[in-house]
Amino acid sequence: MNPTLQTHHYLLKFSIKPSVQRTAVMEYLMNNRTHPTIDEIYLALNPTMPTLSKTTVYNTLDLFVEKGAVQALVIDDKNARYDVDISSHAHFICNSCGKVHDIFNVSPTLFQLPVSDKFTIQSVEISYSGICNSCKGN
Amino acid sequence: MNPTLQTHHYLLKFSIKPSVQRTAVMEYLMNNRTHPTIDEIYLALNPTMPTLSKTTVYNTLDLFVEKGAVQALVIDDKNARYDVDISSHAHFICNSCGKVHDIFNVSPTLFQLPVSDKFTIQSVEISYSGICNSCKGN
DNA sequence: CTTTGTGCAAATTCTTTGCACCAAA
DNA sequence: TTTGGTGCAAAGAATTTGCACAAAG
């Protein structure tokens, strides 16, 4: 089965109709697990898909998030970032270079949702920040 | 001691020179622990301080964050929000009304910073989201 | 004086909206 | 042919920047 067909399947699992654009965005997310911004996705796909509009990238990612196929991250106050890995894991952002990395070695209990009588808590995001090793030398 | 003098003292603890504007912003944050946005702070202070500019509110909060006097929150992707409570506590944002609330009844171990050989982790933010009771009825 | 802080306006960046056209069912 | 998807351009909102003036030491 070729990658595009696999991606079609994956989208259908989330009740997302696979268009050419949606498949391209999902494939990009699967192959580039760097928590890309809208702009990064758009600029990466544009060369091979010159008619693609940024509006479509926005629409597509909103849809993916709504259907639960990707996670929208708030860790970066400059831009929205997207993560195709929807499993429970934390993120780290470097205050110097701005890159976002996964943090997997944290206790799963971190992701347990607290019970509250004031709110219905549905999700949690754990965001660490600091300096990454590449930036530390500079 | 009057409130303004107390605030001066508090600012000095963080090596922040207390100007009229800085004192007003800090006093607002202390009396309105609702994680206000820049705009909310500006609009609240403007009536009694008509010459205050939004640029100064931006500058002031950047300085407060840099000096560690307030926490900048990333939980709200629409605007930056600020919290004068710099102790370890989590936040909840309502996906419907957008209000941000404190969550204190979470285990202190959540705020322990993981050790990594790739990054120097300096801080953590724990962000819950869902629906608050006031919005639930609607 | 010299440095630091403030305020205005303009510029920039990110995101959303309105609408026309295209594609699929 | 009707519905949903895409793309363009314009609008909107949040934040940043440049620069002139004011305040403090």
Side-chain angles (χ1 to χ4, degrees):
Chain A
M1 198 189 280
N2 71 40
T4 299
L5 268 181
Q6 279 185 34
T7 310
H8 276 226
H9 255 106
Y10 190 72
L11 291 176
L12 289 170
K13 278 206 272 186
F14 294 96
S15 318
I16 296 164
K17 281 197 207 169
S19 71
V20 178
Q21 292 87 342
R22 289 170 181 175
T23 305
V25 171
M26 181 52 84
E27 229 149 59
Y28 180 82
L29 287 173
M30 288 174 142
N31 296 330
N32 301 83
R33 298 180 177 241
T34 53
H35 320 92
T37 63
I38 296 275
D39 218 56
E40 284 166 358
I41 299 169
Y42 172 73
L43 291 175
L45 298 180
N46 198 49
T48 50
M49 204 181 233
T51 67
L52 179 71
S53 78
K54 208 176 274 191
T55 305
T56 297
V57 181
Y58 274 99
N59 290 338
T60 300
L61 288 163
D62 284 351
L63 180 71
F64 287 0
V65 170
E66 190 197 311
K67 297 290 190 180
V70 314
Q71 253 191 286
L73 306 185
V74 296
I75 192 173
D76 181 355
D77 54 334
K78 301 294 176 199
N79 327 285
R81 290 179 172 275
Y82 296 89
D83 192 343
V84 76
D85 183 348
I86 53 175
S87 72
S88 288
H89 64 284
H91 294 99
F92 169 88
I93 187 166
C94 174
N95 292 325
S96 175
C97 65
K99 289 209 186 93
V100 175
H101 300 271
D102 291 307
I103 304 255
F104 291 108
N105 64 330
V106 289
S107 160
T109 61
L110 289 194
F111 298 95
Q112 287 169 7
L113 303 180
V115 177
S116 161
D117 54 347
K118 302 201 190 76
F119 328 110
T120 304
I121 299 179
Q122 293 164 340
S123 69
V124 58
E125 185 174 338
I126 298 180
S127 314
Y128 297 103
S129 66
I131 303 290
C132 73
N133 281 4
S134 330
C135 288
K136 210 169 183 185
N138 312 332
Chain B
M1 200 190 279
N2 71 42
T4 300
L5 268 179
Q6 278 184 34
T7 310
H8 276 225
H9 254 107
Y10 189 72
L11 291 175
L12 288 171
K13 277 206 274 186
F14 294 97
S15 317
I16 297 164
K17 281 196 207 169
S19 71
V20 178
Q21 292 85 343
R22 289 170 181 176
T23 305
V25 170
M26 181 52 84
E27 230 149 59
Y28 180 82
L29 288 173
M30 290 176 142
N31 297 328
N32 302 83
R33 299 180 176 239
T34 53
H35 319 93
T37 63
I38 296 277
D39 218 56
E40 284 165 358
I41 298 169
Y42 172 74
L43 291 175
L45 297 180
N46 197 50
T48 50
M49 205 181 231
T51 66
L52 179 71
S53 78
K54 208 177 273 190
T55 306
T56 297
V57 181
Y58 274 99
N59 288 339
T60 299
L61 288 163
D62 284 351
L63 179 71
F64 286 1
V65 170
E66 190 197 311
K67 297 291 189 177
V70 313
Q71 253 190 287
L73 306 186
V74 296
I75 194 174
D76 181 356
D77 54 333
K78 301 293 174 197
N79 327 286
R81 291 179 171 274
Y82 296 90
D83 193 342
V84 76
D85 182 349
I86 52 175
S87 72
S88 289
H89 65 284
H91 294 99
F92 169 88
I93 188 167
C94 174
N95 292 324
S96 175
C97 66
K99 288 208 186 95
V100 174
H101 300 270
D102 291 307
I103 304 254
F104 291 108
N105 64 331
V106 288
S107 159
T109 62
L110 290 193
F111 298 95
Q112 286 170 8
L113 303 179
V115 176
S116 161
D117 54 346
K118 301 201 191 77
F119 328 109
T120 304
I121 298 179
Q122 293 165 338
S123 67
V124 58
E125 185 174 339
I126 298 181
S127 314
Y128 298 103
S129 65
I131 303 289
C132 72
N133 282 3
S134 331
C135 288
K136 210 168 184 185
N138 313 332

